[in-house]
Amino acid sequence: MRYQGVLFDLDGTLVNSAQDMYIALNLTLTEVAFPVVSYAQVCSWVGNGIDTLVKRGLSGSVEVNPELPAALIDLAIQTFRSHYGQLAGQYATLYPHVETGLAALAGFPKALITNKDRSFTESLLDTLKLTSHFKVLICGDDGCKKPAAEPLLNACTALGLQPKDVVMVGDSKSDIVAAQNANIDAIALTYGYHQGINLQDLNPQYLCGDFLDIIPILTQR
């Protein structure tokens, strides 16, 4: 087969976790006396890690306000972590056909690469019973975050595979650009959290509208 392993993003690719983050962010904003934000805004802001999400919430925009006080940012991030730690996985759901698709790909070594912190990731995976599917887990607090190439290259090393032998499956610009930076083929999913970007414009090798669409790509010879 053309590919011998698969690298997966988490939020927006396997799991719709925006509701947990939406609740945690608005609890945080309320505590620091900032205006609450909408669910649609949160969906358009996720994908670049917790710190960036919180700063976007404080700014009320995807563009972070450079004049936010550092002490406020630190307080808000710690407050969010506390709330999200209690919520992670509580309202999250798998996207359609993810469970079936992962089972169908049982023969492929798989790595999960997320910008989410490890403690939250492990809790989410355990709650949704996804942990057993992945041989390797690379998280945002392990080092560089996507769109850097390093998390993907580290996953390849841990899987014992070369970049040319794997494909990255994701739903956001950071996933596709990370794959390109690592010289790894990319499958872009048209659902999930795109931050208003048309992923087709990023020229991924494949564009899929359903999770099951990745199976024939991975099983081609």
Side-chain angles (χ1 to χ4, degrees):
M1 287 182 284
R2 179 173 180 182
Y3 300 111
Q4 299 174 36
V6 196
L7 314 180
F8 284 100
D9 171 54
L10 177 61
D11 297 299
T13 296
L14 303 177
V15 177
N16 183 355
S17 54
Q19 185 71 20
D20 293 344
M21 291 184 278
Y22 164 70
I23 295 171
L25 183 58
N26 276 334
L27 287 171
T28 298
L29 293 172
T30 299
E31 287 193 31
V32 298
F34 269 61
V36 297
V37 296
S38 71
Y39 178 76
Q41 285 175 301
V42 173
C43 288
S44 70
W45 294 343
V46 299
N48 300 109
I50 284 173
D51 292 6
T52 299
L53 173 62
V54 172
K55 286 186 280 189
R56 286 170 172 164
L58 293 171
S59 305
S61 170
V62 68
E63 299 296 332
V64 174
N65 180 358
E67 297 182 0
L68 288 172
L72 170 65
I73 293 173
D74 290 344
L75 172 62
I77 289 172
Q78 291 308 312
T79 303
F80 179 91
R81 289 178 182 274
S82 176
H83 286 304
Y84 189 61
Q86 299 174 45
L87 287 165
Q90 188 169 336
Y91 298 99
T93 58
L94 297 180
Y95 281 107
H97 309 135
V98 165
E99 197 166 15
T100 301
L102 289 176
L105 298 171
F108 285 84
K110 293 179 283 293
L112 186 72
I113 306 172
T114 175
N115 285 343
K116 191 189 295 291
D117 287 6
R118 179 170 290 272
S119 60
F120 301 136
T121 300
E122 291 178 343
S123 175
L124 185 58
L125 292 177
D126 287 345
T127 299
L128 296 176
K129 297 179 172 55
L130 291 178
T131 305
S132 63
H133 289 288
F134 300 100
K135 182 178 179 181
V136 174
L137 178 59
I138 306 287
C139 298
D141 49 352
D142 292 338
C144 294
K145 293 181 172 68
K146 297 174 293 184
E150 283 84 349
L152 281 65
L153 295 175
N154 290 340
C156 290
T157 299
L159 291 173
L161 297 172
Q162 297 297 315
K164 65 180 177 61
D165 297 324
V166 304
V167 63
M168 176 73 202
V169 182
D171 69 299
S172 71
K173 179 179 179 180
S174 63
D175 298 318
I176 308 309
V177 174
Q180 292 168 342
N181 288 338
N183 291 315
I184 289 172
D185 285 355
I187 298 175
L189 296 169
T190 57
Y191 62 82
Y193 313 133
H194 303 145
Q195 299 178 354
I197 295 170
N198 183 349
L199 298 184
Q200 190 169 7
D201 292 341
L202 301 175
N203 298 313
Q205 279 70 29
Y206 309 96
L207 198 67
C208 295
D210 186 288
F211 192 80
L212 292 182
D213 292 343
I214 72 174
I215 294 176
I217 294 172
L218 293 167
T219 55
Q220 65 180 306
R221 296 184 179 276

